[in-house]
Amino acid sequence: MATPRTSRAAHGSAKTLCIDIGGTGLKTIVLDAKGEALSERARVPTPRPATPDAVLTTLRPLIQASPAFDRVSVGVPGVVKRHVVMTAPNLDDGWAGFALGAALEGETKKPTRVLNDAGVQGYGVIEGRGTEIILTLGTGMGCAIFVDGVYVPNVELAHHPFRHGRTYEEHIGKKALEKVGKRRWNERVREVLEVLIPIFNPDVVYLGGGNAKKLKGDLPELVKVTDNVAGLLGGIALWRY
Ligand code: BGC
């Protein structure tokens, strides 16, 4: 995978096209070097079946309509290793082993970095001190852990058993929300926090993702609800390392 260019653009004024591939929506935005938006956030529904080909075809007009950019950052809802997607449970089996970074570099002719979506989201919100956990509440349940700002890659809590034969994702993912309704789902999110906080003893837990806005009432003091746009804003941090 291409490394950041050592041009002035890469260091001082690089513009980043940030792409968030979600189970429900595909989102794009272009950010300047300070993370300020240079375009409106664009969003289109995720095609079904969400094969790599269908997703790339759906993204193409969004990419073409974007203002000029120097590099690309992508958040993917699954395990990502060296810019290759290993799993994408809420997209399609065809993603296993798909070299998304290389495919987008071929399309855009710009260096591209790909990371798990919760990891990207985390980069958009963390303070870089202590243990910070990000849970994303969307189609799936994303989880990312950062220790003093260092990302621990691909912590796939989503598919780990939680209780009553359900995984974490089956307990608080989109399908669960639709099935049990907002009130019970709110209780379930708290149940998950009650289990996770004493295990990881984080300094902060951020709750993000499209459904975080459906959280009502008090949450433990160390929990912060964040805006879903962080899923895109974190894209800029992928070029710091
Ligand atoms: C995937 C995670 C992803 C999360 C949110 C889960 O199903 O396994 O990798 O972060 O969904 O998209």
Side-chain angles (χ1 to χ4, degrees):
M1 187 57 41
T3 46
R5 290 172 178 172
T6 48
S7 64
R8 202 169 60 82
H11 292 304
S13 58
K15 299 180 181 69
T16 309
L17 170 66
C18 302
I19 303 176
D20 182 26
I21 299 181
T24 309
L26 309 178
K27 289 143 261 173
T28 60
I29 200 167
V30 176
L31 304 178
D32 71 10
K34 293 198 179 101
E36 300 291 330
L38 294 173
S39 66
E40 292 280 305
R41 187 188 82 148
R43 183 187 189 282
V44 292
T46 304
R48 290 287 161 188
T51 59
D53 206 32
V55 168
L56 286 175
T57 302
T58 309
L59 276 173
R60 208 161 285 135
L62 266 62
I63 295 174
Q64 280 161 2
S66 294
F69 55 88
D70 304 295
R71 59 195 189 187
V72 184
S73 295
V74 196
V76 169
V79 173
V80 178
K81 293 204 172 189
R82 290 173 289 278
H83 316 283
V84 175
V85 181
M86 312 306 285
T87 67
N90 293 307
L91 294 177
D92 187 87
D93 290 345
W95 285 89
F98 185 74
L100 179 60
L104 280 170
E105 286 194 346
E107 294 242 348
T108 63
K109 309 286 179 250
K110 304 289 179 193
T112 300
R113 293 190 169 188
V114 186
L115 206 76
N116 170 264
D117 56 358
V120 178
Q121 180 107 7
Y123 274 127
V125 296
I126 56 161
E127 285 171 15
R129 276 192 304 275
T131 302
E132 297 175 88
I133 295 185
I134 294 84
L135 295 181
T136 64
L137 308 170
T139 312
M141 189 207 79
C143 175
I145 302 180
F146 291 79
V147 181
D148 289 337
V150 176
Y151 173 53
V152 180
N154 297 312
V155 176
E156 283 289 291
L157 197 64
H159 311 291
H160 192 271
F162 180 65
R163 61 168 64 149
H164 308 311
R166 284 192 293 267
T167 63
Y168 281 80
E169 182 160 298
E170 286 163 347
H171 201 62
I172 60 169
K174 184 180 171 208
K175 282 192 191 137
L177 170 62
E178 285 165 359
K179 187 167 167 218
V180 302
K182 267 192 228 167
R183 194 188 159 124
R184 178 72 192 114
W185 177 82
N186 259 269
E187 290 166 4
R188 285 186 173 195
V189 173
R190 285 161 174 85
E191 287 165 8
V192 165
L193 292 169
E194 274 164 28
V195 169
L196 292 187
I197 290 171
I199 296 177
F200 292 102
N201 297 294
D203 296 287
V204 193
V205 177
Y206 301 95
L207 297 178
N211 289 331
K213 55 182 176 293
K214 300 195 172 106
L215 288 164
K216 302 278 177 250
D218 292 342
L219 288 159
E221 211 177 324
L222 55 74
V223 175
K224 293 185 186 168
V225 178
T226 68
D227 196 296
N228 197 29
V229 82
L232 288 162
L233 303 185
I236 205 165
L238 271 54
W239 297 89
R240 277 193 218 131
Y241 306 97

